[in-house]
């Protein structure tokens, strides 16, 4: 008797552990293609990421950009410095708290927005070559759901219980000498 053969996944179905590699490779290739098409604008990949973060969220703080890009705040500060010098962004202070720095697009960046969107659309069209419109919509819907699933899973744990309303009187306090 021969041992029973284990069922195998169809050749067209990649193993589940390859999902992260496929997503990473696709994102890397899209970024690379977009960077090549937009080289004339003179932005580094890190500067593009910052610009997109500011485009996606109106007037983000530097701290929020650092969080979104998953880089250190000092790195964002230096990146903003270089982009401000080149005329892409400007810093403003939060009127409610002058310690908080807000990043805004300049008129130059706003004017280039249409060009950037058109170039990215071209890259996305290239990535979806051979897909039907229904497949394209389905892919985007599934990736949106996948991201939402992971965002929910990464949400911060429930915060610690609220502090008591009254101060803890179990430890004696020293009276001040007057």
């Amino acid at each position: 008797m021969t041992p029973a053969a284990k069922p195998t996944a169809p050749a067209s179905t990649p193993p589940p552990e390859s999902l992260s590699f496929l997503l990473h490779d696709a994102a890397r290739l899209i970024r690379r293609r977009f960077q090549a098409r937009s080289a004339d604008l003179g932005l580094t990949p890190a500067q593009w990421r910052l610009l997109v973060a500011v485009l996606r969220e109106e007037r983000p703080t530097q701290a929020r950009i650092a969080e979104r890009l998953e880089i250190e705040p000092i790195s964002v500060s230096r990146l903003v410095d270089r982009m401000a010098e080149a005329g892409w962004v400007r810093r403003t202070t939060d009127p409610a708290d002058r310690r908080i720095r807000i990043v805004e697009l300049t008129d130059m960046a706003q004017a280039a927005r249409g060009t950037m969107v058109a170039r990215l659309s071209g890259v996305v069209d290239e990535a979806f070559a051979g897909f039907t419109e229904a497949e394209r919509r389905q892919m985007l819907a599934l990736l949106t759901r996948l991201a939402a699933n992971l965002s929910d899973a990464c949400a911060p744990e429930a915060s610690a219980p609220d502090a008591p309303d009254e101060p803890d009187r179990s430890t004696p306090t020293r009276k001040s000498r007057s």
Side-chain angles (χ1 to χ4, degrees):
M1 268 193 180
T2 60
K6 288 185 178 179
T8 59
S12 64
T13 304
E17 65 271 13
S18 67
L19 174 66
S20 61
F21 294 109
L22 288 170
L23 290 172
H24 176 77
D25 282 347
R28 178 183 53 80
L29 292 167
I30 288 170
R31 279 191 310 268
R32 182 184 291 172
R33 188 66 53 100
F34 177 76
Q35 182 68 29
R37 287 190 180 181
S38 302
D40 62 313
L41 296 174
L43 294 168
T44 67
Q47 290 171 329
W48 275 116
R49 291 181 65 216
L50 186 137
L51 200 56
V52 168
V54 177
L55 284 167
R56 290 179 75 184
E57 185 175 334
E58 190 176 324
R59 296 175 40 89
T61 64
Q62 284 188 193
R64 176 68 179 131
I65 294 169
E67 180 182 298
R68 180 176 283 282
L69 299 183
E70 297 180 341
I71 60 177
E72 293 297 319
I74 188 67
S75 298
V76 169
S77 182
R78 291 178 181 141
L79 201 51
V80 170
D81 286 344
R82 288 191 299 276
M83 292 184 74
E85 287 173 16
W88 290 101
V89 297
R90 69 178 155 264
R91 279 190 185 96
T92 61
T93 55
D94 186 322
D97 186 344
R98 64 184 180 159
R99 296 170 297 173
I100 297 175
R101 302 285 179 217
I102 295 172
V103 180
E104 298 175 324
L105 298 177
T106 61
D107 291 341
M108 181 174 94
Q110 291 289 1
R113 183 182 210 156
T115 300
M116 292 183 281
V117 169
R119 290 177 186 182
L120 181 57
S121 292
V123 171
V124 169
D125 287 343
E126 191 177 338
F128 277 118
F131 284 67
T132 66
E133 186 59 34
E135 289 172 326
R136 185 177 176 151
R137 281 193 310 269
Q138 181 180 23
M139 170 75 83
L140 293 173
L142 292 171
L143 287 172
T144 300
R145 192 165 64 185
L146 184 138
N149 288 346
L150 295 174
S151 294
D152 291 346
C154 294
E157 296 296 322
S159 59
D162 291 337
D165 292 335
E166 294 294 317
D168 182 5
R169 306 234 189 258
S170 61
T171 52
T173 56
R174 296 176 68 174
K175 291 185 179 179
S176 63
R177 295 183 185 176
S178 299

